[in-house]
Amino acid sequence: MATDELMRKALEALRDDGPPSVEAIHRLTDLGGVHEPMMINEVADLLDISPHTLRYYERAGLVEVARDGNGHRLYDAEAVRRLVFLTRMRLAGMPMRDLQHYITLVEAGKHTVPERLDMLIEHRDTICRRIRELALSLTAVEYKIATYGGWTGPDVQDLDTALPREPQRRTQAAGTDKRGAGERADGGPE
């Protein structure tokens, strides 16, 4: 499944009851209905990822999966919980090599908790920086929308008070555009 679709479903699961919290993550990882091992298609449906992705995670050493007598994969609740974590970290942009290192540390034992914590703090800082960069990009897009006379989105502060007022434009006859070379129609910088 595409990352955008997985993110949409994850955001829907958070509900609109305030900012994401640890409780929201518990809701996302609630596997109360998982009592028996699940087949690959069931896990793929549950997590909205493809069976191919599940097999890739297994080949990459991120999750161990038992097999039944016929060689079919059987995912227990622990494997599914790990896959929930892995999919969330991938959505957050964590590279596969970092996930592999993280899982190696998990499997090495509790003495690696400080290093895992450092990895997660570093990744959190990366996410926060990306959020700030995206917020700045959103503001730039909203600015351009406003300069063209469009409406800004609901999550953006009132840009009308922050934007300099454009001078009234004179109406010109068709074909008599008086802009200088390199100027845009709205007069603003590119």
Side-chain angles (χ1 to χ4, degrees):
M1 160 168 285
T3 300
D4 290 343
E5 180 67 11
L6 185 55
M7 180 59 83
R8 184 188 64 75
K9 291 193 179 263
L11 290 172
E12 284 176 2
L14 288 176
R15 300 185 206 145
D16 289 330
D17 56 0
S21 65
V22 172
E23 179 54 37
I25 298 301
H26 285 265
R27 284 196 307 270
L28 287 173
T29 59
D30 180 20
L31 301 173
V34 178
H35 301 293
E36 308 254 335
M38 299 172 69
M39 302 294 284
I40 193 167
N41 287 334
E42 295 171 310
V43 176
D45 288 343
L46 177 70
L47 299 178
D48 286 322
I49 58 177
S50 70
H52 172 76
T53 299
L54 292 171
R55 289 188 291 272
Y56 173 71
Y57 285 171
E58 184 181 356
R59 281 192 314 274
L62 297 175
V63 65
E64 290 183 27
V65 182
R67 305 277 181 139
D68 67 10
N70 295 323
H72 297 122
R73 290 170 173 83
L74 295 174
Y75 294 82
D76 61 13
E78 181 181 335
V80 174
R81 270 191 291 281
R82 178 172 283 187
L83 287 163
V84 168
F85 171 77
L86 294 171
T87 57
R88 298 307 176 257
M89 291 300 100
R90 288 296 293 147
L91 283 173
M94 184 177 274
M96 283 297 291
R97 70 182 175 281
D98 290 353
L99 277 174
Q100 289 169 318
H101 181 64
Y102 183 88
I103 294 301
T104 299
L105 292 172
V106 168
E107 291 172 354
K110 291 187 178 193
H111 70 281
T112 66
V113 166
E115 188 174 350
R116 286 185 261 162
L117 178 60
D118 287 345
M119 284 185 73
L120 293 173
I121 289 170
E122 183 178 327
H123 190 62
R124 179 201 57 200
D125 293 347
T126 299
I127 292 169
C128 289
R129 184 179 64 251
R130 284 179 44 214
I131 289 170
R132 288 191 310 272
E133 290 167 354
L134 287 171
L136 182 58
S137 296
L138 175 61
T139 301
V141 169
E142 293 289 1
Y143 170 81
K144 293 309 295 178
I145 290 170
T147 61
Y148 293 128
W151 297 97
T152 59
D155 295 336
V156 177
Q157 297 294 328
D158 184 11
L159 291 177
D160 292 334
T161 59
L163 295 175
R165 293 204 177 266
E166 289 189 359
Q168 293 289 342
R169 294 187 196 148
R170 291 183 292 170
T171 315
Q172 296 179 358
T176 60
D177 190 349
K178 304 268 190 216
R179 289 190 305 267
E183 285 186 57
R184 287 193 349 236
D186 69 355
E190 292 280 343

